[in-house]
Amino acid sequence: MTLRALAFALLAALVIPASAADDGADCLGCHTASADAPVHAVFQTVHGGLNGGGNGSCLSCHGDSAEHAADPTTHMPGVSFGPLWLSPTGERNGACTACHTGGTTMHWSNSDHQQEGLACDSCHNSHQHQDPALTPAGSQRMCLDCHSRVQAEMLLPSRHPIAEGKTSCGDCHNPHGSLAEANLRQPTVTDNCLQCHQEKRGPFLWEHPPAAEDCSLCHRPHGAVHERLLITRAPALCQQCHVAAFHPSVPYGSEGLAGAGRNQNILGKNCLNCHSQVHGSNHPSGARLTR
């Protein structure tokens, strides 16, 4: 290649992408840093480099917006995320899913949040240098804005340390959807729990069937009145299944509380005092999960 041909090739590489990216639009001519600072914050993110950067990055999400460029006070951009104009949810989500189709977002279509009509920009802000939805505190706040029942359960005496920032909603749930119930990241509730509670995984020589089947049979994941996130205290919890075991196991009720008979098996007693290995045991003599 001659020196002249090389010069033309370099010039084309510099000029063609810029003109193609602008495509006649001059977004930054109106949306200056002083007029609309949040718009310019996008250039501190990965979105600011789309389609060659500059005006091209605007067009990659907002569409060609030819009418808006010709008359910006009357016509909205091709795809508008507000606040002055707001495109339909499907159009706004389409601008995002045009790129975000794999990884944690592959199940967005027909997910719970998508079916509820939730828009990507309801949680995300692509113009901010640090998207609040991608921070532990920010994502938790957005989840709890809608999931008020979970917020209430987080205030109960026994709970996961979500409020302290040691765990977050996203550790267990994928807000963009999954193939499991409640948008869990793992196929089952138990698989999800075992990501952290690996000492309960087994395999065990003596297995406790409900512990292997579903942790939520005994535990409430977000918070509970009883210790260890239990749905109710023993012996009432155990007697939901064990009503006639290998020792006298009469169903206990309120008649055994103080002032109505004072049943010693209710007051100060707990099946776990003896059956301490309730999740399973590998001891040769642990058939009754006592060791």
Side-chain angles (χ1 to χ4, degrees):
M1 180 180 290
T2 64
L3 183 61
R4 182 176 182 179
L6 179 61
F8 273 111
L10 290 174
L11 182 62
L14 292 174
V15 173
I16 292 177
S19 59
D22 288 344
D23 197 25
D26 184 20
C27 308
L28 301 179
C30 294
H31 296 280
T32 62
S34 59
D36 199 347
V39 169
H40 282 247
V42 72
F43 297 112
Q44 301 177 28
T45 72
V46 66
H47 293 102
L50 296 176
N51 200 18
N55 294 324
S57 66
C58 304
L59 303 183
S60 63
C61 295
H62 295 279
D64 58 17
S65 305
E67 293 183 349
H68 178 67
D71 189 357
T73 61
T74 304
H75 297 285
M76 63 182 284
V79 179
S80 176
F81 297 85
L84 180 59
W85 293 293
L86 195 63
S87 295
T89 299
E91 293 183 12
R92 285 179 282 150
N93 287 347
C96 300
T97 55
C99 295
H100 299 280
T101 57
T104 59
T105 62
M106 69 168 58
H107 297 300
W108 171 255
S109 179
N110 293 322
S111 66
D112 292 341
H113 286 147
Q114 193 268 346
Q115 290 292 321
E116 290 293 332
L118 199 66
C120 302
D121 59 293
S122 299
C123 298
H124 295 279
N125 189 325
S126 60
H127 281 263
Q128 289 191 17
H129 175 62
Q130 178 62 69
D131 186 349
L134 301 182
T135 64
S139 63
Q140 175 186 314
R141 183 175 61 254
M142 291 174 186
C143 295
L144 298 181
D145 282 345
C146 295
H147 299 280
S148 56
R149 177 176 178 177
V150 174
Q151 185 177 25
E153 290 175 342
M154 286 171 49
L155 302 177
L156 295 176
S158 178
R159 55 188 174 80
H160 276 111
I162 300 175
E164 291 80 7
K166 295 181 180 180
T167 58
S168 67
C169 306
D171 291 337
C172 299
H173 302 276
N174 182 353
H176 301 108
S178 75
L179 296 178
E181 61 175 316
N183 290 333
L184 293 176
R185 292 193 175 274
Q186 303 301 322
T188 68
V189 173
T190 299
D191 289 331
N192 224 57
C193 299
L194 293 177
Q195 295 302 300
C196 292
H197 303 281
Q198 297 186 19
E199 75 281 2
K200 306 295 190 299
R201 182 182 295 276
F204 296 110
L205 177 62
W206 306 105
E207 189 176 75
H208 193 195
E213 179 184 352
D214 189 339
C215 300
S216 64
L217 293 175
C218 297
H219 301 276
R220 296 189 185 279
H222 298 110
V225 174
H226 307 283
E227 62 177 359
R228 300 177 184 177
L229 298 171
L230 293 175
I231 59 177
T232 188
R233 65 178 293 270
L237 175 62
C238 304
Q239 287 200 317
Q240 292 181 6
C241 297
H242 302 281
V243 293
F246 299 93
H247 51 71
S249 184
V250 179
Y252 303 123
S254 59
E255 68 278 358
L257 296 175
R262 298 176 58 88
N263 190 309
Q264 64 174 347
N265 291 308
I266 292 183
L267 303 178
K269 297 292 184 176
N270 193 318
C271 302
L272 274 66
N273 291 341
C274 297
H275 305 279
S276 58
Q277 304 303 310
V278 68
H279 294 98
S281 173
N282 282 319
H283 195 283
S285 299
R288 305 289 178 247
L289 304 179
T290 56
R291 63 190 74 187

